[in-house]
Every structure is written in structure tokens, then in C-alpha cells.
Amino acid sequence: MSTNGTALLDVREISKYFGSVIALKDVSMTCEAGQVTCLLGDNGAGKSTLIKTLSGVYRPDEGEYLFDGRPREFASPRDALELGIATVYQDLAMIPLLSIWRNFFLGSEPTKGWGPFRRYDVRFAKDTTRQELAKMGIDIRDPEQPVGTLSGGERQSVAIARAVYFGAKVLILDEPTAALGVKQAGVVLRYIVQARQRGVGVIFITHNPHHAYPVGDHHVILRRGRVYGDYSKEELGLDRLVQMMAGGEELENLAHELERAAGKASGEAGDDLARAAEALEREAKDPGA
Amino acid sequence: MAAETIPPAAAPADERVREKSTLSKVLSRPEVGALAGVVIVWVLFAIVASRHNFISWATTASILNRAAPLGILAVAVALLMIAGEFDLSVGSIIGFSGMVIMVLVTPTTGGGFGWTLWPAVGISLLFALTTGLFNGAIVIATKLPSFIVTLGTLFAFRGVSIAVTRLLTDRTQLGQLDIVAGYGLAQKIFASNLNLFGSQFNVAILWWFVLTALATWVLLRTRAGNWIFGTGGAVDAARNVGVPTRRVKIALFMTTAFAAWLVAVIQVVQFTGADTLRGTGQEFQAIIAAVVGGCLLTGGYGSAIGASLGALIFALVQQGIVITGVEGDWFQVFIGGILLGAVIFNNFIRTRAALR
């Protein structure tokens, strides 16, 4: 691992239980300023539990949570936010009917004037929104346009720009590319890199290794609530990452299962299954082929 | 800044986005539908009722006089609807606030308390704000739809007004406010007439305009306004970014109660008395006005000016029907039709213009 002891966010051997279910067991990971930590895992690997723990929604049952080198305990996501740990959730980021600039400053509106004449500094808000989005390379045509008219990728991007503007030191992105098309996902990945270059530590949750690999400085792979691997970009090729994500031996098992199913099935359907099984086996043994 | 190390995403002017025309920008304002409605209804009656002097200062005055109390209510109801909640109890709060005043000023021989007017007005305001607080607190605490909660309090508040008034005074109507100390000033503030162009305009019209302007300013130019839109638009997202959504909702329930109180005071002073049934049905008229004015039933969208225009349409139809001599029974048909038409029109506008 590329840790030099000054990680901005550092969790050590964190465990979280829900009744008899072990959601997380001895999970350790770090995130440094100006670096992207990718958090990968299949459904049910514990990604959601981990980010909710990192963002202050859950409190870990065991383990240590260090931020800026000091142990922390959060009573609510607000505590985490105040330290600069901002989380952008996939669907809960924006208010569709509200304009971009109103969304950008919602909850932290700049004001001018005093007493009963204190009012929303509209010009400042519009100008700042435009500037901040431009800094992230987001070209908005009209800050008055409702967020609902933006594409999914643009919406995520505005949410990221907002978190950065309001002083996020660590930005947790919950599957920001999951619901997006190829081009849109590329847009979001670009903003992740932008945020990193502005010195923000990014924790990027995804189950798509093709999205993670190009932007990630190191990759934490979760499986069944445990850390399956934690690799820097150098020690890991995209092929390895794809294979680990897919779970090599699981694919092989699946291949055998399909073969057996093909044995039972007859005729063309059986042949199709057999071919699918062969392909899976090849993939499992020789990824990237 | 480090941001310059990567060239910004080449600012791709997306070829799929058309330049929004000024017209569609105007059309995407929530109050446009209501404005069109006002013009259409006015022109309609101006033609149909031309023989009956529809275009005159006297008729204009009586339309505005009718619109004012409903407009005051509708503006407050619109703010609450934009925040995603309903208040069906405003009609009862009108009756309730009026009865509080009258019971307090009625002489002890009549079963009342024999107060002068102004303390009674103050106490009734406190009562009204408490009812709003009560509505809001129950909605927040139970997480029930406010439609149901305030439907309940609609009946409860009305029942309390009737029961307590009858218990104390043996009556359901109290009068003779004009002999109570303090009436002269109250009459000037709440119920005097302004003589313009030879016609009598109620001072309530001023209250209505001022409240509309104030509500518009709050909505569009203050933090609270942003919070109102946010709360109604997506309550979880708003809370996530730190909007005090509960406080917003409670404050707005108190605002609708305040508006109901103001209407009650205006009417009590104007008619020098109160009836326990006063305000019946006003809650629906106010919601209709707000919806006709562009408020979405689902919250997050709407305007105070629109709600005022909605109230104006209501009064135009009411007065127009009276003037043309059409059987008054048709009034409700008219209003129902306008409500449906407005909702369809608003939906059309929103999908065509706003979300394009």
C-alpha cells in the first residue's frame, strides 16, 4: 500500500454487525489527499455498509476510524460533513425542479443585507455556480435551467462540484457511474480526476473495473464483507482487476454448472449452454482474451 | 490552480440542446397559466356581459373585493403546497379565530368576557398560530400525509368553535362588535374602503397585494424561499444538504394559520360579528386557487403571484356570473371546469417548456 502514515482518512480493522449478519469484518482502508481510492465489490460485498460507516450514518462496532490522524466518532452524517467528509449519493443529490444555481447553494445560501432585509445574494450564487462548474470543466448553458433537465452524468458532476466548493476534503461517491451510459460515465470520471487534482481525496465506489482502473490510485476490493485485496495501480493490471472483480474461481464454478445443465438439456438449447460454459471457462483462465 | 493541468472538458456545446427561446422561458414561469386564465375569463365575461357594464370601475372593485380574502389565504396555502404539504383546516381556523375574538369582546352578561377589541385580536392571533403549530407538529411527529391530518383538524377546530361558543353564550352567532372599544381603529386598518374612480375598494385588497409581494420576495430572494422549494422538491435531498425541513414545514403551517386569522379579523370587523360557520369551504377554494396558479400537488413548484391570480379567476367567475344573471348554480360547474383546465394546461406547459 502507498501509505506513508499521513492518510487523510484511515479506517483500521472495522467491523459492523447487524444482528447475526456480519456485514463488515476487519476492513482497513485509507484515502489520501489528491488520490483516488476505488472501492470495488459485487452486490452484497459490503460496499454500502462501508460507505455508510465512512460517511457517519453507521457507527462501526469494532475498529478505529481516523481522520487527519485523529480517532473520530460520528453521531450523524453532519459531523462527518463538518470535518469535510462529503458523500454524494446516487439519487439523493439534487432537487430536479430547482434550478442549477439554487441546487448548488441549497442549505448554504449566501446572503447579503441585515435583519429583516437579509436576502439571498442571487448574483453571487449564479456567478459562483457558473465559475465553480467551469473550474470542473462543466459547461452549463444556463444556471437557471432546472436540474431535472440535466443528464444523469451532469447531475452527478454538479453534485461533485458542489461538494468540492463547500470544502470537501474527502469525497465519497456512491456508484456515480452505475446508471450512466458509456459517454456519460466518461464525463463523471473526468470530474473525479479534476477533484483529485484540486487536492481532494476521492473514494470512488463502483462495481465496474473499467471505470475504476483509469482513475484509481489504489483499489480496494471487497468480497463478502472482507477486504479481498488492496493494490496500488502499479501492482495491478486492468485484466487482473477484471478477473478479481468477476471472481475467477466463481466463474469457473459457474462454467461447470452450466456444462452439467447442458448435459441434461437436449438439442440446440443444450449446445448453446455448452458453448456459453466454454466461453466462461476461457474467460476465467485467461482474462482479457 | 491545479485545475488547469487538465484542459477542461473542451466545453462541448452539446448539439442536442436547442437554444431556449425567450417565449418558452416566459412560458416556463409557474404563473403563466393563471395569467392566461385571468385574461381569458375576463375577455369572456367582457363579451358576454357587455350589456351589464362588466368593464367598469364598480365591477372591478367588487371583483377585487371578493378576490382579496381568498387571495390572502391562497398565497399562504401556495407557500405550504410548494413545501409539499396541504392545509385543509384553514377554513375552520377562520371560523375559530373569529369566534375567539367575539367571545372575548362579548359582555359578560352575554356569556363572554367583556374585553376591548385589541387584546382580543392579539389573543386570537396566538390561538391561530397555536393551531398551525399543532397541525405542523402532528404532521412531523406522525409522518402522516398532511392531507389526512388537516382533514381531521378541519373538523376538530370547527367542532371546538361551535361547542365552546354555544357552551359559553348559548349562540352560534355573535354581533355588535361596533360598540366595543377599539373598533374605530380596527375598522380603519382592516375594513375601511378606499374611494377610487367613484368606486369602493376594500382595504383588504392592499393586505392581499402586500402579502403577495412579501411571499414572492421570500420565495425568490431569501434563504427561506430556497428551503421551501427544496423541502417540497425532494425532502431527503434537502435534509442531506442541511435544510431544516421540519422547521420550514412548521413555519408554513403557522403561516397558513396566520393568513386564516387575518381573513377572520377582516371579516369580523367588516361584518361587526362572527358566525361559527364562517370560512366553510374556503380551504378548497384556496387550494384550487393555488393549483390554478401553477402549484404542483406534489410540491416543489409554484408561485405566490400565481395563487393570487388563481383567486382573481375565482372572483371573476363569481362576479361575472352574478352580473350576467346566469343562475348562480352554475358557478361550481364553472370553477370545477377551470380547475381541471388549469391543471391540464399547467402539466402541458411544464412538460413542453420547463423540462426542455
Side-chain angles (χ1 to χ4, degrees), chain B residues 69-133:
Chain B
L70 182 57
I72 292 169
L73 274 188
V75 165
V77 165
L79 294 186
L80 183 64
M81 278 180 74
I82 294 170
E85 301 289 350
F86 287 98
D87 189 350
L88 293 179
S89 71
V90 285
S92 295
I93 298 176
I94 294 176
F96 179 73
S97 304
M99 286 324 288
V100 170
I101 295 177
M102 287 313 298
V103 166
L104 289 176
V105 299
T106 296
T108 42
T109 49
F113 292 82
W115 288 21
T116 56
L117 180 56
W118 284 100
V121 167
I123 291 295
S124 78
L125 175 59
L126 279 184
F127 269 100
L129 292 177
T130 311
T131 58
L133 181 66

Side-chain angles (χ1 to χ4, degrees), chain B residues 22-40 292-295 301-303 305-307 309 313 342 345-346 349-350 353:
Chain B
T22 318
L23 179 68
S24 82
K25 266 182 195 164
V26 170
L27 285 181
S28 66
R29 300 284 319 145
E31 54 270 2
V32 169
L35 188 60
V38 167
V39 173
I40 291 168
V292 168
C295 286
Y301 191 81
S303 109
I305 293 178
L309 293 173
I313 291 179
F345 181 77
N346 283 343
I349 289 293
R350 232 187 355 269

Side-chain angles (χ1 to χ4, degrees), chain A residues 27-43:
Chain A
V27 171
S28 300
M29 64 170 290
T30 61
C31 181
E32 291 172 46
Q35 293 229 331
V36 178
T37 302
C38 292
L39 190 58
L40 296 111
D42 208 350
N43 294 339

Side-chain angles (χ1 to χ4, degrees), chain A residues 56-289:
Chain A
V57 177
Y58 296 149
R59 264 190 274 188
D61 293 316
E62 289 161 15
E64 255 189 312
Y65 189 149
L66 294 114
F67 186 78
D68 258 343
R70 283 168 49 193
R72 311 280 180 172
E73 266 189 49
F74 302 131
S76 79
R78 271 217 89 67
D79 293 355
L81 196 60
E82 269 160 30
L83 282 180
I85 304 171
T87 309
V88 175
Y89 291 100
Q90 202 182 324
D91 324 314
L92 295 178
M94 292 273 149
I95 293 167
L97 285 168
L98 216 49
S99 64
I100 298 172
W101 64 273
R102 283 185 180 274
N103 257 296
F104 196 92
F105 283 97
L106 184 63
S108 317
E109 293 84 357
T111 55
K112 60 181 179 187
W114 52 270
F117 302 106
R118 209 158 76 107
R119 59 200 182 274
Y120 196 165
D121 193 343
V122 170
R123 177 178 295 179
F124 174 83
K126 283 185 192 172
D127 290 349
T128 311
T129 303
R130 206 195 308 264
Q131 283 163 16
E132 286 304 309
L133 293 182
K135 271 189 211 167
M136 298 288 289
I138 307 168
D139 172 43
I140 49 166
R141 298 160 286 276
D142 177 8
E144 287 286 356
Q145 104 187 74
V147 159
T149 62
L150 297 178
S151 67
E154 287 174 315
R155 251 183 259 191
Q156 287 287 334
S157 309
V158 174
I160 293 170
R162 177 173 69 184
V164 171
Y165 174 73
F166 285 109
K169 293 177 188 161
V170 169
L171 190 56
I172 302 174
L173 304 174
D174 179 19
E175 307 234 14
T177 58
L180 303 181
V182 177
K183 201 172 166 191
Q184 293 279 319
V187 172
V188 172
L189 294 180
R190 205 193 305 269
Y191 302 140
I192 292 176
V193 174
Q194 290 279 358
R196 176 179 66 183
Q197 292 199 329
R198 295 176 74 179
V200 178
V202 180
I203 298 177
F204 172 30
I205 292 93
T206 179
H207 55 244
N208 189 334
H210 298 283
H211 291 163
Y213 191 75
V215 297
D217 292 298
H218 69 122
H219 302 268
V220 178
I221 298 156
L222 277 184
R223 190 180 292 173
R224 293 175 172 275
R226 292 168 191 266
V227 174
Y228 180 71
D230 186 343
Y231 306 93
S232 71
K233 192 168 189 163
E234 294 78 40
E235 22 175 341
L236 193 69
L238 175 59
D239 299 343
R240 279 272 322 277
L241 187 62
V242 172
Q243 193 198 8
M244 275 193 289
M245 269 302 296
E249 73 271 29
E250 278 170 37
L251 265 187
E252 222 164 311
N253 290 341
L254 182 59
H256 292 313
E257 222 171 275
L258 286 177
E259 262 169 35
R260 278 199 298 281
K264 281 180 201 154
S266 58
E268 254 173 58
D271 290 345
D272 282 350
L273 271 178
R275 269 196 295 279
E278 261 172 52
L280 270 176
E281 205 159 7
R282 273 204 305 279
E283 170 93 352
K285 283 179 182 151
D286 182 18

Side-chain angles (χ1 to χ4, degrees), chain B residues 118-190:
Chain B
W118 284 100
V121 167
I123 291 295
S124 78
L125 175 59
L126 279 184
F127 269 100
L129 292 177
T130 311
T131 58
L133 181 66
F134 183 73
N135 279 334
I138 291 188
V139 168
I140 300 285
T142 61
K143 298 193 171 74
L144 287 171
S146 51
F147 193 90
I148 297 299
V149 170
T150 56
L151 187 61
T153 53
L154 167 69
F155 284 92
F157 295 154
R158 180 74 68 196
V160 166
S161 324
I162 297 173
V164 172
T165 309
R166 214 198 293 268
L167 198 69
L168 292 174
T169 65
D170 262 342
R171 283 181 292 174
T172 56
Q173 288 179 320
L174 296 172
Q176 292 188 312
L177 184 69
D178 47 345
I179 58 168
V180 173
Y183 179 79
L185 180 60
Q187 201 273 338
K188 276 197 181 62
I189 295 174
F190 295 111

